Amino acid sequence: MYWIDFPPAWTFYGLLAAWGLSRVEPAWLGFGPYHMALGVIVFLVGLGLMLWASATMLRHRTQVMPRQEAAALVTDGPFRFSRNPIYLGDLLLLAGGALVFDAPLALLLVPVLAAILQRRFIRPEEAMLRRGFGAAFEDWAARTRRWL
């Protein structure tokens, strides 16, 4: 059951919902002629951010998988700008999907996904980092925003 409650799975559920909304939304509600190109760009930026963050974590020999103890507090690379660049990438994937599917109402799913990720994954992970790295985590968290 772990794979059902896993950040990429939640992103996939959001993308499925975005696709479903694209099938029922009226055509006049669309984004316009450049939605596909913009959506692909946003999607690729999200994917690139996720890969950059994952590579940075692997370079520090720490866990990329959620709910696992971190071996190191990673504060460089994309973690200089966001405490959660992989989750930010998930949000960009969903926003890009909404654009590609030409489903403006699906953009409402982005803050829903953000709330799910924050409650189910980010808060517990930050509590784990706080326990494991104490003042170093607090210093980094004080100077680095959660999202951007």
Side-chain angles (χ1 to χ4, degrees):
M1 295 300 279
Y2 176 75
W3 61 272
I4 292 173
D5 188 23
F6 184 60
W10 284 103
T11 303
F12 179 72
Y13 306 147
L15 287 167
L16 279 178
W19 176 82
L21 283 170
S22 76
R23 299 294 168 236
V24 298
E25 283 183 350
W28 60 265
L29 197 57
F31 286 115
Y34 303 107
H35 71 91
M36 183 68 73
L38 182 59
V40 169
I41 290 168
V42 171
F43 191 91
L44 291 176
V45 167
L47 188 59
L49 181 60
M50 295 169 87
L51 292 172
W52 182 24
S54 297
T56 303
M57 293 175 80
L58 291 172
R59 190 168 32 84
H60 285 274
R61 292 186 165 81
T62 193
Q63 276 294 333
V64 176
M65 299 301 288
R67 298 185 176 126
Q68 304 292 317
E69 286 291 330
L73 180 64
V74 181
T75 61
D76 62 330
F79 295 92
R80 290 175 294 165
F81 312 109
S82 170
R83 293 196 314 257
N84 300 288
I86 294 175
Y87 297 136
L88 180 58
D90 284 316
L91 300 180
L92 290 170
L93 292 182
L94 180 53
L99 286 161
V100 165
F101 297 140
D102 201 19
L105 290 178
L107 289 177
L108 297 173
L109 297 171
V110 174
V112 171
L113 178 60
I116 290 168
L117 293 174
Q118 188 164 308
R119 180 159 189 230
R120 301 209 45 79
F121 302 98
I122 294 170
R123 287 184 185 155
E125 287 172 11
E126 287 190 346
M128 221 182 310
L129 291 171
R130 191 171 280 111
R131 282 191 307 274
F133 300 101
F137 171 78
E138 294 297 340
D139 290 344
W140 173 64
R143 70 177 186 273
T144 309
R145 297 174 59 94
R146 176 169 282 155
W147 296 106
L148 258 185

